[in-house]
Amino acid sequence: MGLIAIWLEVLCYSAGFTCEWKNARALMRLCSEGCSCPLSGCIYAMGTTYFPQSGKGTGHISKRGDGISDQRTAIMQKFVVLFILGLVHLSTSQQYSQFQWLSYLRARQRYIRWRAPDLDCPLECDCPPRYPTAMYCHSRNLQHVPYVPSHIKYVYLQRNQISGIQDGVFDNATNLLWIVLHHNRLNSEKIGKNVFSKLRNLDWLFLDHNELTRVPSNLPKSITDLRLGHNRISKIPTSTLEGMVNLTSLELHANAIEDVGGVFKTLKSLTMLDMRKNKLRKIPEGLPERLQQLYLEFNNIESVPANFFTSYPKLQFVRLAHNKLTDKGLPTNVFNISTLVELDLSFNKLENIPVVSRNLENLYLQANKIKDFTLSSFCGNAVDMANFSKLRMLRLDANKISAKDIPAEAAYCLRHVASIDV
């Protein structure tokens, strides 16, 4: 209804009238209770026939002392009829109109006048009263970060066209906790050096799926979750993440990183590191002792250092699938760590099943070159009622072994395994 009223205003102006539609009744009657026109007469709608009516008869409508010809009236009638027919066709043929944004802006203006005067929100975004500290600006084709009011704590800017962020953009909202900027076009050269430096309470920073070539500088030490996956980062200087003692989750997957040195050593609270789909040739060194999840799939890793996992007593999930691991690159008992719960070595070049801990629950070895099923890899040399594996998932499919290669004693050793894929 609001869109129809807007178009009728446009038609009025094009025909030389001045109308301001005030309610839905104006859709059926022009220049009466529903609108105000500086005319001596009105135009009424009756079915699909429109005709003028004035104090001097139906031939003319007086306006500011001048006459409006029958020709202009006829044009007005045709415009209105064609417009109504077009709307009917539009409503039956599609749900979205290219002029819907105009109606949306009119509704936004009415909402701004209605809402509490102290509720500050930029026109490009939504700040629903139900979530007074959140600002939703996602999927709006924005090319810049809008003004962020001081009371906002959560700002959603994902799926836009933002390529740069200037220093000072967030200075007014120093209480921000979450900044969500994934799926934009952020360029490292267009991000100020101190964009995030004053946000001392920032908890989550999502910058994945952009065009960054380096990690932004001067990040707040308060961040616990940093997402930088699907960018173009190739190097991480040691000083970039220095002092971020609260960081618990770091996502760097799908970049172009070849080596990280000891950049993670100072991240004392880090429990999850995701570096899938990079160009690593070796497992990162100097990882934090609290690390629990290490994801390194789709790299070029050929070996694992001896006693590597003994330095990380809390490590539970290790994924090394889609690398270049061979038997030669795996020292004996390198995976025989009691804390491991899940180990993924699939899609490598292994010819033998590595020795694993009896506490391991999930082992993925599919798509290797394994020829023999060695029961001692799971239970050692002694299998009895007290010594058995806790393994629940074992995948050996796409190797060079079959079900007949599995010995009968496996039923005692692998008593918790529901099925073995071969």
Side-chain angles (χ1 to χ4, degrees), residues 155-381:
V155 59
Y156 300 90
L157 291 159
Q158 68 270 28
R159 300 187 184 280
N160 282 293
Q161 305 296 322
I162 301 171
S163 60
I165 311 175
Q166 297 181 351
D167 284 334
V169 169
F170 298 115
D171 288 0
N172 184 60
T174 55
N175 292 320
L176 277 174
L177 298 177
W178 295 3
I179 297 179
V180 181
L181 275 162
H182 61 76
H183 287 91
N184 275 280
R185 296 182 177 179
L186 290 177
N187 187 308
S188 293
E189 303 301 326
K190 298 180 181 180
I191 297 180
K193 294 183 178 181
N194 297 299
V195 167
F196 308 106
S197 61
K198 294 184 179 180
L199 306 178
R200 302 183 183 278
N201 298 313
L202 192 62
D203 191 15
W204 290 7
L205 180 58
F206 295 175
L207 300 173
D208 45 314
H209 292 273
N210 278 284
E211 300 173 9
L212 299 175
T213 55
R214 59 177 178 267
V215 179
S217 58
N218 298 318
L219 294 176
K221 306 299 186 278
S222 58
I223 294 178
T224 63
D225 193 340
L226 178 59
R227 303 188 184 183
L228 293 163
H230 292 274
N231 278 284
R232 302 174 182 175
I233 300 170
S234 58
K235 295 181 180 180
I236 307 177
T238 306
S239 59
T240 303
L241 302 174
E242 189 174 359
M244 299 189 69
V245 295
N246 294 306
L247 190 63
T248 59
S249 178
L250 177 59
E251 296 186 8
L252 288 164
H253 57 281
N255 278 283
I257 302 171
E258 296 184 7
D259 190 12
V260 292
V263 69
F264 304 128
K265 191 173 184 179
T266 61
L267 306 179
K268 298 181 179 180
S269 300
L270 193 68
T271 60
M272 196 282 289
L273 176 61
D274 186 352
M275 294 197 69
R276 294 171 292 143
K277 297 184 178 181
N278 276 281
K279 298 181 179 180
L280 297 174
R281 295 184 177 181
K282 62 180 181 178
I283 296 178
E285 301 174 355
L287 298 176
E289 292 184 2
R290 294 187 181 182
L291 195 66
Q292 298 177 12
Q293 304 172 54
L294 179 61
Y295 304 135
L296 299 171
E297 304 105 298
F298 294 95
N299 279 285
N300 299 314
I301 299 172
E302 298 179 353
S303 62
V304 179
N307 302 318
F308 176 82
F309 294 104
T310 58
S311 302
Y312 310 104
K314 295 186 177 182
L315 196 59
Q316 299 180 41
F317 302 89
V318 176
R319 296 178 182 172
L320 285 162
H322 293 274
N323 276 282
K324 297 180 179 180
L325 293 174
T326 62
D327 292 342
K328 184 179 179 180
L330 299 182
T332 305
N333 293 319
V334 69
F335 296 118
N336 192 4
I337 306 299
S338 61
T339 58
L340 282 182
V341 174
E342 180 175 296
L343 177 62
D344 188 353
L345 299 173
S346 60
F347 294 90
N348 279 284
K349 300 178 180 180
L350 303 179
E351 297 182 7
N352 295 289
I353 299 175
V355 176
V356 296
S357 169
R358 294 181 180 180
N359 292 327
L360 191 69
E361 296 183 9
N362 302 298
L363 178 60
Y364 302 93
L365 289 167
Q366 69 270 23
N368 276 280
K369 299 180 179 181
I370 298 173
K371 301 176 181 180
D372 299 316
F373 189 96
T374 51
L375 198 59
S376 59
S377 297
F378 308 103
C379 297
N381 296 322

Side-chain angles (χ1 to χ4, degrees), residues 16-31:
F17 300 106
T18 303
C19 299
E20 180 183 351
W21 309 103
K22 296 178 179 178
N23 52 48
R25 297 179 63 183
L27 300 178
M28 294 302 298
R29 185 173 63 186
L30 289 83
C31 307

